[in-house]
Amino acid sequence: MAQVSLRRVVKEYEGGVQAVKGIDLEIADEEFVVLVGPSGCGKSTTLRMIAGLEEISSGEIAIGGMVVNDIPPRDRDIAMVFQNYALYPHMTVYENMAFGLTLRRFPKDEIRRRVENAARILDIGELLDRKPKALSGGQRQRVAMGRAIVRDPKVFLFDEPLSNLDAKLRVQMRVEIKKVHQTVRTTTVYVTHDQVEAMTLADRVVVMNQGIIEQVGTPQELYHRPATRFVAGFIGSPAMNMIPARLENGAGALRLRLPGDIVLPVPAERTQRYAPLAGGEVLFGIRPEHLTEPKNLDRPNIATFEAAPEVIEPLGMETLVIFSLQGNEVTARLDPAVPAERGRKMPFAADLNQMHLIEPRTGRVL
Amino acid sequence: MSVTAAAEATAAPAAPLYRKVGSIRRERRWALIGAYVALAVFVVFFLTPPFHMLMTSLKSSAEIADLSNNPWIVQSPTLENYWALLNHGSYPRHFLNSVIVTLSTVAITMVISLLAAFALARMRFWGSATLATGVFLTYLVPETLLFIPLFQTIGSLGLYNNLWAMVLLYPTITVPFCTWIMIGYFSSIPKELDEAALIDGANHFQMLWKIFIPVALPGILAATIFAFTVSWAQFLYPMVFLVSSEQMVLTVGIVSDLIRGDTFQWGMIMAGAIMAALPPLLIYAFLMDYYIAGLTAGATKG
């Protein structure tokens, strides 16, 4: 049983630079939580504070109900997997995995049993006698995970473990990590800058930016109900379109006036929610997959407009079309069968059921 | 006319950029020949004195004194110089003294340098960078200046003309350099390695013993060889601080015992020098690869 709690945790470096600005986070037992954000957002620092590799400037971190602020890493009962694997180069795979148990004076039989068990889970049984330099990147990453698993710790910490692998191996290891978690059910905190990794692995994703937590939620929540402009733009690929617009009030209904005099009606059920902003400037957010060729026009809140594509990116299963609304680039996601031609006006449909309105000043999504 | 000529000149096909086409094989062959010639010159230059030493050590005193002989050739080789050194006089005593002083110095140096380098390279603390530079700066003070104040120090400790004074003095030369070499080597070890060890449950001593020493072994061997060579060949300090023959080490023992007034016992001096050169030679021969790897690794990665 190991939940991890962060209460008003601050990390301030010499010179007053705050890497982490007082974050609160509760991670439940057996949960897989991913910290995600751009570089410099404080996610790695947060992980290293949980590990005890960085001292915390103020606040409180508790693992399994015990405050660990002053407890050294070795007594926190955690295991960590590093981006560059950090395998001991002079030890064999077996010795690497056994090292932590040897230091803790586990009986030899128990060490062997645990190492062999972890090797079986990770399918590295035949590598046990090799030195790390004789392993490929993927194999090294497995050994690094094995070293964590044998310890049977309260918490697994992963610091961008897949960043050094090539794209194909990364996908494979991602699945592997998820499987391992499903097998051992150890509370896991995982740091990455890759939002796809975050979405695919996490029970809950923590989006961080500039030392604060922007939003915590399940991947679905973050995708469909982003709380801030940052989360809306960070989660999802290609990123959500954000178009400056004016929210107008006319004849009891709200409508959005986009650059290029495109007017879109705001769905009636959102009138009340958006009413306070009427008459002001807003950011109209819509994901590329909700800007398509005209389809489902019989459903409510589908609006059409015309625009001329500037760039066409055929990806095979879909075609991305980029057009400009008075200098604002907008990406739409079309069926590959739809003929699109650079510079020739064509119709688009916007699914306004999926729209977001962002208050430009606060960056809050309404 | 000139205008036409100019026009023609521009119109003429441009001269090929490379007149003759080179050959990789030919270029490589010339590079090799150059390398061999240069190396041969160096080898001859540096091996001439040891060769002369060896030849002279195998001659009798009479043959050395006979100026009509070719100095590079031994007419009637003899081991009498070696025999005389090993069986009479203080040579074995000096050899033993050198071994004692050198081994003690190496041991002391390695213990101090390893701990100091680990602390300075890894345990970030206030002033550690300045201290690391300071350690190296002490190495830059020449011993030819240091021995004057050291004379007072050693005298006040009652260690004048005492072999163990050398064990105290040699590390002042070896520790700074070895520490500096190992700071560079330790710094090249990724930080995640000690973090992994910390999380695995190691304390700082275990981290040094089980991770840093094995990983930095080439660097440690390089430092060991350096400490050994410097201690073995040290001349100034024993010259200044040791006066009686039974306290002397090889370097001063040979010149003080085998030169009487203006009489140089060249045969025995050379035999003594040859035997004195053997231990470093053997150590180099066995550890050369490690030594080079150690010297360069810190430089490129650090």
Side-chain angles (χ1 to χ4, degrees):
Chain A
M1 292 294 287
Q3 59 278 37
V4 178
S5 313
L6 282 74
R7 295 178 205 114
R8 295 181 304 286
V9 172
V10 175
K11 177 68 193 183
E12 187 174 300
Y13 288 106
E14 278 171 41
V17 181
Q18 284 200 342
V20 176
K21 300 168 182 167
I23 58 170
D24 289 284
L25 183 63
E26 290 291 329
I27 298 166
D29 187 35
E30 298 194 355
E31 194 176 20
F32 197 121
V33 164
V34 176
L35 307 182
V36 69
S39 50
C41 71
K43 56 189 190 299
S44 276
T45 310
T46 306
L47 190 81
R48 291 170 57 81
M49 286 193 288
I50 299 174
L53 297 172
E54 299 268 358
E55 284 175 33
I56 67 175
S57 307
S58 72
E60 198 174 270
I61 294 180
I63 297 173
M66 187 173 71
V67 175
V68 294
N69 285 18
D70 284 326
I71 294 179
R74 65 169 179 274
D75 298 326
R76 291 192 181 194
D77 200 9
I78 44 146
M80 187 155 166
V81 177
F82 295 87
Q83 179 177 352
N84 64 1
Y85 325 122
L87 300 179
Y88 311 122
H90 58 295
M91 298 183 191
T92 62
V93 167
Y94 183 92
E95 289 164 342
N96 260 286
M97 287 162 74
F99 186 64
L101 301 177
T102 316
L103 286 178
R104 288 179 164 77
R105 302 185 187 287
F106 273 64
K108 280 222 162 64
D109 298 347
E110 174 67 7
I111 294 178
R112 175 156 292 281
R113 194 186 62 75
R114 287 195 183 199
V115 171
E116 282 170 358
N117 184 38
R120 197 172 47 248
I121 293 176
L122 292 163
D123 196 20
I124 49 173
E126 72 280 18
L127 305 177
L128 289 177
D129 295 328
R130 291 209 205 156
K131 291 261 176 78
K133 68 166 183 272
L135 302 178
S136 69
Q139 290 170 330
R140 285 179 203 188
Q141 196 51 268
R142 281 166 204 263
V143 177
M145 277 164 61
R147 190 166 63 179
I149 292 173
V150 292
R151 293 260 317 281
D152 189 19
K154 283 189 190 144
V155 184
F156 281 151
L157 304 173
F158 288 86
D159 191 4
E160 308 220 14
L162 305 183
S163 301
N164 279 7
L165 302 178
D166 64 55
K168 196 174 159 197
L169 205 53
R170 205 177 303 165
V171 175
Q172 204 179 321
M173 286 304 293
R174 206 165 71 199
V175 176
E176 204 75 31
I177 290 176
K178 191 148 193 170
K179 275 191 199 158
V180 166
H181 181 253
Q182 283 161 358
T183 314
V184 299
R185 305 297 314 165
T186 305
T187 311
T188 302
V189 187
Y190 185 109
V191 161
T192 179
H193 62 267
D194 180 351
Q195 51 107 3
V196 179
E197 229 168 273
M199 301 286 278
T200 49
L201 284 170
D203 294 327
R204 277 193 308 156
V205 179
V206 177
V207 183
M208 292 186 71
N209 184 33
Q210 296 183 341
I212 58 157
I213 293 179
E214 292 270 343
Q215 189 175 2
V216 183
T218 64
Q220 291 297 324
E221 277 169 4
L222 293 185
Y223 190 81
H224 294 292
R225 292 195 297 282
T228 64
R229 179 183 180 174
F230 178 82
V231 177
F234 190 78
I235 301 291
S237 175
M240 183 188 287
N241 297 301
M242 292 191 203
I243 310 159
R246 170 171 276 280
L247 189 63
E248 294 176 345
N249 207 340
L254 290 173
R255 55 181 192 237
L256 280 164
R257 185 172 294 279
L258 270 48
D261 265 345
I262 295 170
V263 177
L264 303 174
V266 172
E269 61 270 24
R270 299 204 190 189
T271 309
Q272 208 178 353
R273 200 196 313 173
Y274 295 155
L277 283 180
E281 299 294 330
V282 293
L283 278 177
F284 167 60
I286 188 157
R287 296 200 181 276
E289 51 269 43
H290 303 130
L291 275 184
T292 58
E293 71 279 3
K295 61 179 183 185
N296 303 328
L297 293 177
D298 50 331
R299 293 194 195 160
N301 304 324
I302 308 281
T304 56
F305 61 95
E306 283 203 328
E310 286 183 351
V311 177
I312 295 164
E313 296 180 340
L315 298 178
M317 59 179 269
E318 65 195 15
T319 299
L320 296 181
V321 166
I322 296 151
F323 56 90
S324 162
L325 293 180
Q326 292 190 343
N328 299 289
E329 273 197 356
V330 180
T331 308
R333 221 163 181 164
L334 307 189
D335 187 291
V338 175
E341 199 179 311
R342 191 172 156 263
R344 205 185 65 191
K345 276 206 167 190
M346 58 180 292
F348 291 94
D351 182 355
L352 299 176
N353 297 304
Q354 307 288 349
M355 65 172 274
H356 303 274
L357 274 197
I358 299 155
E359 204 176 13
R361 198 171 44 79
T362 57
R364 215 157 46 87
V365 178
L366 294 165
Chain B
M1 180 64 194
S2 63
V3 176
T4 334
E8 272 172 10
T10 9
L17 202 52
Y18 303 104
R19 289 240 179 72
K20 66 179 184 196
V21 177
S23 143
I24 292 179
R25 197 184 301 168
R26 196 180 314 137
E27 280 172 21
R28 185 174 154 69
R29 194 167 60 225
W30 277 110
L32 271 181
I33 291 171
Y36 276 119
V37 169
L39 285 173
V41 170
F42 272 104
V43 166
V44 170
F45 185 75
F46 284 111
L47 283 186
T48 302
F51 178 73
H52 189 255
M53 269 167 64
L54 181 64
M55 289 300 111
T56 311
S57 74
L58 295 173
K59 293 176 183 175
S60 63
S61 297
E63 193 179 332
I64 297 170
D66 186 353
L67 294 180
S68 62
N69 283 335
N70 182 341
W72 301 100
I73 296 167
V74 189
Q75 304 288 350
S76 45
T78 168
L79 289 175
E80 71 181 40
N81 293 320
Y82 291 89
W83 183 253
L85 272 182
L86 292 174
N87 289 293
H88 310 288
S90 318
Y91 189 83
R93 174 79 234 169
H94 297 156
F95 203 101
L96 183 66
N97 283 351
S98 272
V99 170
I100 291 172
V101 170
T102 301
L103 291 186
S104 311
T105 305
V106 168
I108 291 172
T109 305
M110 293 323 290
V111 170
I112 298 179
S113 310
L114 270 174
L115 293 173
F118 180 67
L120 290 172
R122 272 316 209 255
M123 303 164 75
R124 296 277 154 68
F125 52 90
W126 188 84
S128 57
T130 319
L131 268 177
T133 316
V135 166
F136 186 61
L137 285 181
T138 60
Y139 177 68
L140 301 180
V141 182
E143 54 206 81
T144 39
L145 287 179
L146 267 184
F147 85 90
I148 301 167
L150 278 177
F151 201 87
Q152 282 199 317
T153 314
I154 292 299
S156 65
L157 288 173
L159 287 174
Y160 183 66
N161 191 28
N162 187 328
L163 186 66
W164 294 101
M166 301 303 106
V167 177
L168 204 61
L169 287 172
Y170 287 5
T172 61
I173 313 167
T174 51
V175 165
F177 187 77
C178 292
T179 307
W180 183 70
I181 265 196
M182 279 187 289
I183 287 176
Y185 213 88
F186 283 168
S187 305
S188 71
I189 297 175
K191 191 166 59 74
E192 286 81 1
L193 220 55
D194 28 319
E195 292 180 345
L198 272 183
I199 289 176
D200 263 341
N203 56 35
H204 277 104
F205 183 74
Q206 286 169 320
M207 199 197 297
L208 173 66
W209 188 249
K210 300 199 179 222
I211 307 292
F212 273 72
I213 291 182
V215 172
L217 201 59
I220 292 168
L221 283 176
T224 310
I225 293 178
F226 173 82
F228 183 94
T229 317
V230 164
S231 314
W232 190 260
Q234 177 56 234
F235 186 78
L236 183 70
Y237 286 163
M239 178 77 179
V240 172
F241 295 108
L242 303 177
V243 282
S244 55
S245 183
E246 78 276 6
Q247 295 292 328
M248 283 181 180
V249 293
L250 270 181
T251 44
V252 287
I254 292 174
V255 289
S256 66
D257 272 22
L258 302 178
I259 302 172
R260 294 269 176 243
D262 56 355
T263 316
F264 288 69
Q265 302 181 49
W266 281 120
M268 287 214 274
I269 292 176
M270 294 304 172
I274 289 277
M275 285 194 283
L278 277 181
L281 200 70
L282 289 175
I283 288 193
Y284 268 104
F286 284 117
L287 301 177
M288 196 56 158
D289 288 345
Y290 274 121
Y291 186 63
I292 290 170
L295 277 185
T296 50
T300 51
K301 287 190 209 155

